[in-house]
Amino acid sequence: RKEVEQDPGPFNVPEGATVAFNCTYSNSASQSFFWYRQDCRKEPKLLMSVYSSGNEDGRFTAQLNRASQYISLLIRDSKLSDSATYLCVVNPFSGGGADGLTFGKGTHLIIQP
Amino acid sequence: DAGVIQSPRHEVTEMGQEVTLRCKPISGHNSLFWYRQTMMRGLELLIYFNNNVPIDDSGMPEDRFSAKMPNASFSTLKIQPSEPRDSAVYFCASRPRTDPRSPLHFGNGTRLTVT
């Protein structure tokens, strides 16, 4: 099983719709989780951190399910500008010396007018 | 805040040539990461440094790759000799070491093409 797995998509979604996608991780000891966004031919940028109790930032909601080892991202009222690749990121360590983040390959989202 | 600065933005070279990629992290950030991104493999961690010391280089593909961080404000990734399969986008990223939950800040990347 790969360390971090995502459905590559593409997800084609009409503008205004709600879309959700998941990411599974293999290391049950993983401590930190993030969603990054990457636009075509650009660098990844942090979208939001994922907290144990779940968290919301405007139209975006992130959830963590430790028992099933997955995190999710929900986008409500999708905009054309939400079209991008969404990368799931897991840090298997809680701190200390070794803490390299592991990225999923990303889910490609296309919002259609 | 100037962000993470990488150079060059694009590099086209012939197989067998030496390639040097450069990175200047955000001032005050103590951790620096080198990633490689391809369509097939996604973002792969090559190596990372804490306080200029290499911590984990297990992602470096082979001996042709080497990375250095001579001081807190500069790092290089060198490929010698380069091969066509090294063609990818190479990202440098930094973050404060004190909090592993803090996000990575990526540079714009270097798009390397080896012919």
Side-chain angles (χ1 to χ4, degrees):
Chain A
R1 182 179 178 185
K2 296 180 182 177
E3 289 187 62
V4 179
E5 289 199 73
Q6 296 182 251
D7 182 341
F11 284 51
N12 288 283
V13 176
E15 189 177 9
T18 295
V19 60
F21 27 84
N22 292 342
C23 161
T24 59
Y25 59 94
S26 61
N27 188 337
S28 60
S30 297
Q31 296 293 327
S32 304
F33 309 88
F34 309 88
W35 283 103
Y36 277 68
R37 170 194 168 127
Q38 186 172 24
D39 293 296
C40 187
R41 303 181 78 84
K42 298 285 190 181
E43 73 276 20
K45 292 183 179 178
L46 178 70
L47 177 66
M48 59 195 303
S49 301
V50 185
Y51 301 122
S52 297
S53 56
N55 49 298
E56 189 174 305
D57 183 1
R59 297 181 294 108
F60 298 84
T61 301
Q63 296 279 356
L64 168 64
N65 185 316
R66 286 192 183 274
S68 300
Q69 294 181 208
Y70 74 85
I71 65 173
S72 64
L73 179 67
L74 178 81
I75 306 174
R76 290 182 299 277
D77 187 23
S78 54
K79 312 291 185 188
L80 295 177
S81 57
D82 294 334
S83 297
T85 297
Y86 291 84
L87 304 169
C88 170
V89 187
V90 175
N91 186 342
F93 303 103
S94 59
D99 55 283
L101 298 177
T102 301
F103 283 74
K105 290 187 179 180
T107 295
H108 189 37
L109 176 64
I110 301 171
I111 305 300
Q112 297 174 329
Chain B
D1 185 351
V4 177
I5 300 173
Q6 290 187 247
S7 64
R9 289 295 305 276
H10 302 274
E11 178 78 35
V12 180
T13 190
E14 292 183 347
M15 183 174 63
Q17 297 298 307
E18 178 179 296
V19 175
T20 300
L21 312 180
R22 297 173 177 79
C23 175
K24 176 180 169 56
I26 292 173
S27 178
H29 282 195
N30 297 330
S31 291
L32 182 141
F33 300 75
W34 282 101
Y35 282 88
R36 176 173 69 175
Q37 186 174 38
T38 61
M39 288 291 292
M40 289 295 294
R41 303 171 71 91
L43 265 169
E44 301 174 280
L45 177 65
L46 300 177
I47 185 171
Y48 76 93
F49 297 82
N50 282 345
N51 295 317
N52 313 338
V53 176
I55 301 300
D56 182 0
D57 65 354
S58 60
M60 297 285 262
E62 48 198 271
D63 292 344
R64 297 184 298 106
F65 285 69
S66 62
K68 294 181 180 180
M69 193 165 185
N71 57 62
S73 59
F74 184 66
S75 177
T76 59
L77 178 67
K78 185 175 293 186
I79 308 173
Q80 167 63 22
S82 57
E83 296 182 2
R85 60 190 167 126
D86 301 331
S87 297
V89 180
Y90 291 80
F91 287 106
C92 176
S94 71
R95 76 169 185 219
R97 180 180 180 272
T98 54
D99 185 359
R101 295 167 299 177
S102 63
L104 291 180
H105 297 259
F106 283 83
N108 291 332
T110 295
R111 186 171 296 273
L112 174 65
T113 303
V114 183
T115 60

